[in-house]
Amino acid sequence: MKIYDQFFIDGEWVEPSTGDRFESPNPATGQPWASVAEGRAEDIDRAVQSAHNAFENGPWHIMPASQRSEILRRLGDLVLKHSDHLAKLETTDNGKAIRETGGVEIPAIAKWYYYFAGLAETIEGRTIPVNNDLHVHTVREPVGVCGCILPWNSPLLMAAFKLAPALAAGNTVVFKPSENTSVSILEFANLIQEAGIPPGVVNIVPGYGPVAGKALAQHPLVDKIAFTGGTETGKQIAHYAADGVKRVSLELGGKSPNIVFDDYDLEEAVVGVMSGIFVAAGQTCVAGSRLFVHDKIYDEFLDLLVKRTRQIRVDNPMDPTTQMGAQTCQSQLNKIKELVQSGIDEGADLMTGGKPPQDADPSSYFFLPTVFSGVQTNMRIAQEEIFGPVVSVFRFSEEDELVEKANGVKYGLAAGLWTRDVKRALRLSRRLKAGSVWINCYRKINWAVPFGGFKMSGYGRENGQEVLDLFTQTKSVWIDISEDYIDPYAT
Ligand code: NAD
């Protein structure tokens, strides 16, 4: 078993306040593979003090932006150099297939650091022509200490969404990774050191949400909270932020519609729909978990979807030929099983899946890709985020009814549309209440493109130039340049 018994604070590995640790199981076996020191409020306080001190007294936000930019570029290079190692850690810890972590996700993370290395030098203010007597300009300053709380599905990617812009703008950071996946971000600390990021600028303390996460979100010296996770936790974080009048951004859950019209190539749409829901074993916030298929192609589409779904290879995530890995944790597996059972009990038709693979180790967290048809919009599987490989299929024919149903959930993170009709595609993209709309593609995410939710999927935009608004604050500077002055007290 790997032991991680220290925290990364003030640029070095330090002893925790207690000897308590928690175990991180390997989802492919259910057996613990890492033991991680559990952070308490005292440890969080130490990390926040270090970040505060680095912000107030350190060189980070006062150094030339070009120098910060160089360091971020070096961090991107290090991600690429160590991507095999990081991908293996991520796969061992969260069960995602290595063809996803190693093939796509981890190498792409370097691009976040490169892109924000470039943007670091573009954080500029404005000159505002108020009148001839005044020169007014604005300056965009970093907000200070940013508390970043992470989920378990893509720990290093979610960290990059926050760390790259936070550092580009000159902030300092304290990370609280998910208790299910703390290892990769702890090892990432070594790259932070090697890249030459000054001590205290990035600090990492794993621990449980209601203990370490809460302490971070409530700490008076934290200026901003960047949170990715479930909607219920997000609401709690928003309360903490309100009490401390902290800036907050929330990337929360989803129940995204994926809509297929009868004019699109059937096979291509089936593949698009499958990867929209089954990638990462369904554990993505943008999962296309509600599928709307046009009446004219419904039966043929469903047959092909079920046939292809049954062929997905669910196996050891470390094997490069595996197409779908495991669920990250026991509680997530239990949640999926419970919601699948609710679908059966409420009368939906289970077309395939609905259980772990027959030959899976009973201690492991595998679950078969699952398709439900005959789903009614008021069923739990139609409304609640499952965060697993389960898709609910609906039939539609009328556009207005489709829009009403597609928007008829509390979430608004993403939506997909498959049609060759450009008018229809653009018309619907306006009517769908979602932060990202993909037309003839799904789950495209890029460092340069804003990403975030409508409705209860959260607020604030990560990625792109927009995220810099979350990590900067504007100061207006007024200078009187006139020779005269007005005395309001003169008689
Ligand atoms: P979660 O809400 O259970 O936990 C997220 C983080 O919050 C963890 O680090 C956890 O320890 C911490 N936490 C829990 N309770 C807390 C508290 N009271 N105070 C402070 N911190 C607390 O979410 P999860 O199960 O780790 O991740 C799955 C969820 O994340 C899904 O709902 C998914 O949709 C969402 N997600 C959203 C995005 C997005 O960009 N919108 C991306 C990935 C995941």
Side-chain angles (χ1 to χ4, degrees), residues 342-371:
S342 82
I344 296 167
D345 293 345
E346 288 186 289
D349 299 320
L350 179 63
M351 305 301 292
T352 185
K355 54 182 190 285
Q358 210 163 14
D359 52 355
D361 177 342
S363 316
S364 67
Y365 310 150
F366 291 99
F367 198 83
L368 285 172
T370 298
V371 178

Side-chain angles (χ1 to χ4, degrees), residues 22 37-41 44 148-152 175-182 205-219 225 227-230 232-234 236-237 240:
F22 56 85
E38 185 202 328
R40 298 293 172 86
I44 290 288
C148 300
I149 301 179
L150 303 175
W152 41 255
F175 273 118
K176 205 301 283 174
S178 164
E179 52 273 39
N180 293 309
T181 53
S182 305
V205 178
Y208 289 106
V211 180
K214 182 176 174 186
L216 181 59
Q218 290 187 321
H219 199 292
I225 308 162
F227 173 78
T228 301
E232 286 311 309
T233 317
Q236 192 63 61
I237 300 275
Y240 300 149

Side-chain angles (χ1 to χ4, degrees), residues 132-450:
N132 289 340
D133 292 340
L134 289 166
H135 172 92
V136 181
H137 69 261
T138 61
V139 189
R140 291 173 75 195
E141 297 185 350
V143 294
V145 177
C146 303
C148 300
I149 301 179
L150 303 175
W152 41 255
N153 58 337
S154 308
L156 288 177
L157 182 65
M158 295 300 109
F161 276 27
K162 295 161 181 54
L163 187 61
L167 294 185
N171 299 281
T172 60
V173 169
V174 176
F175 273 118
K176 205 301 283 174
S178 164
E179 52 273 39
N180 293 309
T181 53
S182 305
V183 170
S184 58
I185 187 89
L186 281 170
E187 293 228 5
F188 193 73
N190 297 320
L191 309 193
I192 284 165
Q193 273 178 321
E194 200 180 332
I197 294 175
V201 172
V202 182
N203 306 273
I204 302 166
V205 178
Y208 289 106
V211 180
K214 182 176 174 186
L216 181 59
Q218 290 187 321
H219 199 292
L221 291 179
V222 170
D223 300 287
K224 181 208 156 40
I225 308 162
F227 173 78
T228 301
T231 294
E232 286 311 309
T233 317
K235 283 197 232 172
Q236 192 63 61
I237 300 275
H239 281 288
Y240 300 149
D243 287 341
V245 196
K246 298 177 193 306
R247 285 143 195 81
V248 63
S249 50
L250 302 174
E251 295 289 353
L252 309 177
K255 190 76 187 172
S256 300
N258 206 352
I259 301 163
V260 185
F261 285 90
D262 55 327
D263 62 350
Y264 205 80
D265 180 81
L266 198 101
E267 288 206 20
E268 193 185 324
V270 166
V271 172
V273 161
M274 286 169 65
S275 52
I277 177 67
F278 299 135
V279 76
Q283 299 165 105
T284 76
C285 49
V286 294
S289 52
R290 292 181 302 136
L291 170 63
F292 293 87
V293 183
H294 194 276
D295 189 41
K296 280 193 193 154
I297 54 162
Y298 182 89
D299 293 330
E300 198 185 346
F301 193 96
L302 187 61
D303 283 350
L304 188 58
L305 175 67
V306 169
K307 183 174 155 221
R308 291 292 310 267
T309 299
R310 287 191 179 129
Q311 292 165 354
I312 292 176
R313 262 197 312 282
V314 184
D315 208 337
N316 175 8
M318 227 27 129
D319 181 338
T321 65
T322 290
Q323 295 172 332
M324 200 177 113
Q327 303 304 307
T328 299
C329 51
Q330 183 70 56
S331 58
Q332 176 57 25
L333 183 65
N334 295 346
K335 179 181 167 192
I336 296 170
K337 286 180 176 170
E338 201 246 320
L339 276 158
V340 164
Q341 190 56 48
S342 82
I344 296 167
D345 293 345
E346 288 186 289
D349 299 320
L350 179 63
M351 305 301 292
T352 185
K355 54 182 190 285
Q358 210 163 14
D359 52 355
D361 177 342
S363 316
S364 67
Y365 310 150
F366 291 99
F367 198 83
L368 285 172
T370 298
V371 178
F372 273 111
S373 68
V375 183
Q376 303 303 315
T377 50
N378 60 353
M379 291 179 180
R380 287 183 65 198
I381 55 169
Q383 292 292 329
E384 294 181 31
E385 183 185 43
I386 301 176
F387 213 57
V390 182
V391 64
S392 297
V393 192
F394 305 84
R395 191 191 286 267
F396 78 91
S397 49
E398 282 296 309
E399 198 171 297
D400 284 346
E401 188 199 356
L402 166 73
V403 170
E404 196 188 320
K405 285 186 175 167
N407 287 336
V409 291
K410 67 180 178 184
Y411 298 106
L413 193 56
L417 277 175
W418 302 80
T419 179
R420 296 266 175 229
D421 181 338
V422 70
K423 289 189 182 193
R424 175 159 63 196
L426 287 175
R427 191 168 62 238
L428 281 175
S429 75
R430 293 181 180 191
R431 298 183 70 189
L432 290 167
K433 293 191 181 354
S436 297
V437 177
W438 293 295
I439 298 169
N440 302 337
C441 58
Y442 201 84
R443 202 172 169 266
K444 300 284 178 207
I445 306 255
N446 187 282
W447 44 92
V449 182

